[in-house]
Amino acid sequence: QVQLVESGGGLVQTGGSLRLSCAASGRTFSRYTMGWFRQAPGPEREFVAAIRWTGGSTYYANSVKGRFTIYRDNAKNTVYLQLNSLKPEDTAVYYCATVPGVGVFVREYEYDYWGQGTQVTVSS
């Protein structure tokens, strides 16, 4: 059974930093892509970043490029999202997700397992 458990959210001031973690279990992730999405109040989740478990190629939404960094620790089966230079518009619930394959996956429906989410709130 695949499990993704996020942690690391919180309240931070504009310009601050946070590191989100996603601990993954239940499958061999070497042929998978891990992604981070976020959802502000509203129906849709927005793609933030993704990383190929093998090789480590990364992809970012334009809105976070240069401020956020996605990386993984193979030994711990954990994916991280470092959030720097945070802005109030980054406020959202952040979710990690996994999808089989090593392509570029930026759409919510492409991912098959999701974590429960962690709240990030950036005050102005």
Side-chain angles (χ1 to χ4, degrees):
Q1 180 180 358
V2 175
Q3 278 196 315
L4 303 175
V5 180
E6 301 100 332
S7 61
L11 173 64
V12 64
Q13 292 185 332
T14 296
S17 297
L18 285 172
R19 189 182 75 163
L20 307 183
S21 301
C22 173
S25 62
R27 63 167 43 149
T28 301
F29 291 94
S30 59
R31 294 182 180 275
Y32 288 79
T33 296
M34 303 295 293
W36 283 96
F37 286 74
R38 65 187 181 186
Q39 186 170 19
E44 295 186 358
R45 291 180 184 175
E46 174 192 17
F47 171 77
V48 175
I51 185 168
R52 296 180 183 178
W53 200 274
T54 299
S57 296
T58 57
Y59 310 92
Y60 296 93
N62 288 335
S63 60
V64 306
K65 203 172 293 183
R67 300 188 298 121
F68 293 6
T69 303
I70 186 172
Y71 60 100
R72 82 257 187 263
D73 184 328
N74 290 347
K76 296 183 178 179
N77 248 24
T78 299
V79 175
Y80 301 94
L81 186 68
Q82 178 68 40
L83 288 62
N84 295 332
S85 302
L86 282 162
K87 305 174 182 180
E89 52 264 43
D90 295 318
T91 295
V93 178
Y94 283 71
Y95 298 89
C96 73
T98 180
V99 53
V102 291
V104 179
F105 302 103
V106 300
R107 297 175 179 83
E108 181 181 355
Y109 68 81
E110 295 175 308
Y111 288 76
D112 57 354
Y113 286 98
W114 293 79
Q116 82 288 352
T118 185
Q119 176 72 47
V120 171
T121 303
V122 185
S123 63
S124 57

